[in-house]
Structures are given as C-alpha cells and as structure tokens.
Amino acid sequence: MSQKSFHVAVVGATGAVGQQMLNTLSEKNFPIKKLSLLASKRSAGQVITFNGESHTIQEAKPEAFEGVDLALFSAGGSVSKALAHEAVKRGAIVVDNTSAFRMDPNVPLVVPEVNEQDLLKHKGIIANPNCSTIQMVVALQPLHEKYGLKKVIVSTYQAVSGAGAKAVEELKEQSKAILNDEPFEASIMPCASDKKHYQIAFNAVPQIDKFEDNGYTFEELKMMNETKKIMHLENLEIAATCVRLPVETGHSESLYAEFENGNPSVQEIRDLLKTAPGVTLQDQPEEQIYPMPALAAGLPDVFVGRIRKDLDRDNAYHMWVVSDNLLKGAAYNSVQIAESLIKLNLL
C-alpha cells in the first residue's frame, strides 16, 4: 500500500452498502487522512463511529466534495447522476456503485481480478458492476483466458438484501406471519415501484427490476451487457434469468459455459480456479462440500463448486457460484478498485 494517505468521502454512508464500505476500509487499513461521511439531508447530523472516532454525517451536496481525493458512491443512481460529476470537478476520483454510469462508453466498468488495466482509461468516474455480474466474471475470467468463452447461460438465485434493508425486513415479517398463521401484506417485492407485489417468504420470484420490451428484466440485461463490457467480449453469446429467493445475504448462480478452445477435464478446471485471484474452490461432491450463501455471508471471495462436464457437449461445463452480494458484489469490490488506483499510481 502507498505511503500516501487520502481524503475519502463515502456517499450513502448510512445505507447497507455504505456501512460495508466503511467496514472494508477499516479492515483493509486503507490510507485515510480525512473521512467525510455523506448522506441525504434527513440523515445529516447523525453520528457514526469509524476506527474509534466519531464522524458526523453531512448532507451530500456539491461543496461537500471540496478537497476530496476519492469518493465512494452508493446512494442510488439519481444521487450519482446529480453529484458524481460535481465531485470530479472538485478533483475527486469517483467509484460509483450504482447503474448510473455502467454502460457509459467513457466510464470504465471494473472488477480488479478481471480488467484492472481499464482503470488507466478513467476520466474521473469508475463504475462498480452489478453484484451478480461481479461474481460471475471473477469465476469465468481464468477459464476464458485459457479456453476462450463462447457462450454463457446463467440463472441466479439472489438474496433479498440486494433489494435493500426494507426488503429484508419484509422477508422477516412475512416469515413470522406465515409461521404463526397470521395475515400479512406484501408491499415491496419484487420491485417496490411496481403496482403488484408478491410474498417473498417461502417463495421464489422470477423478477428482479423492471421488465423490458424484449421480455428480459433490467437486472438480466445488466448481467448480459456488463459481462460483455468487462470481459471485452462484444460477441459473447449470453443469456440470464434472475430470480429472488428468501435468502437474506449471498447471491447464488448456476452457470453454463461453452469454450472455444480445448476440452479440459473437470480436474483441470478445478486446478485453474484453485489459484485464481478472488476465488475459493469448494468442490468435493463426495464429501457434500459446495458453496452456499449461508457460508459465504461476511466473506469477500467468490466461491465456486459443483463443476461438471455437460453430458451432451464436450466443450460445455456447469458450475455453481456464490458470493456475498454486499461485499464482493458491492462494497469490497469498490474498495478493491480504490486499491488498484493506488497500485497503478492513479490516486
């Protein structure tokens, strides 16, 4: 880590991801000389403790970024669109954890294990990808480097925390009501802004975000388009189906991948992933060892298991990928980007 230290701002400091960003900055001993915690006007004045020191939340507005070197945004796309460029104008580098800039051709979309060098092209704003995209590309990149990806089909089993704290509370309240045979009303899932809501407790909801005209949800299109951008694979054949499950933390994914070159054994793939950055291999089916969200919660790695050859195609494989959506899927990856900026002498 650099000898230098930095003025860091966390925008959305009171939210779930903002809190995880602060935890990650502390755990990684990130070189901070000054910390500014920013949030909405209604949260201003609250006090948060970081590394034993009390910090008062300030309202997130343009002048709050004066003197800031690094701004970590996780307060919603509208806040990022309103304030990210204001932060850059005042000399900050922005790492944005919303979808506001992800597909902007002038903004790098970065997972450090996959495309760290794209940071060299940044113009002040760097986008943090969608949580489900991050864990998938971390698992796929080492396989692509050796065998070349041709086609990917992914089905996700996503945690409720990806929809926010209110969705988690709704899951808990519904679960209690159902177990006690009491009435309840769904008001958030699958998408708070939709007119129709369904129970999430003891259910699986095949909708995350809004439906687009082509029948895919915005979440599914994010996974597909972001993967192509991050991995520089514009012609990759890829399809996604995203499902919300009654799990509090940790996204799971069933991945099908076809390769252009080679026909590796399952053990060769295991050996490759065993040493891949950011990956923990958990693949001993004979011992019933495989990734699960309950075991991945609170850990920063991407966990891969259930690796097996397709029974009909020699160049096709299946695997199961799990990660904590609030850590590697959001806060941890954002801080990793900041560390990469230091490593590349960009911060």
Side-chain angles (χ1 to χ4, degrees), residues 59-97:
E59 182 183 353
K61 50 189 178 180
E63 53 267 35
F65 295 98
E66 294 291 348
V68 170
D69 300 306
L70 171 71
L72 303 175
F73 274 70
S74 190
S78 60
V79 174
S80 294
K81 288 176 182 176
L83 292 177
H85 288 291
E86 295 292 338
V88 173
K89 276 185 200 173
R90 290 162 173 80
I93 295 177
V94 169
V95 179
D96 182 54
N97 191 51

Side-chain angles (χ1 to χ4, degrees), residues 177-195:
I178 292 169
L179 290 170
N180 292 320
D181 199 24
E182 296 171 351
F184 64 90
E185 188 172 324
S187 61
I188 295 177
M189 305 300 295
C191 188
S193 58
D194 276 348
K195 295 178 181 177

Side-chain angles (χ1 to χ4, degrees), residues 20 27 32 35 42 44 58 72 76 96 115 151 165-166 170 194 207 218 239 254 261 294 316 326 343:
Q20 289 287 10
E27 289 169 5
I32 298 174
L35 181 65
R42 70 177 180 274
Q58 304 170 56
L72 303 175
D96 182 54
N115 64 329
K151 183 176 185 177
K166 290 182 179 179
E170 181 172 80
D194 276 348
Q207 178 190 351
F218 187 47
S254 173
N261 311 304
L326 300 179
K343 173 184 165 185

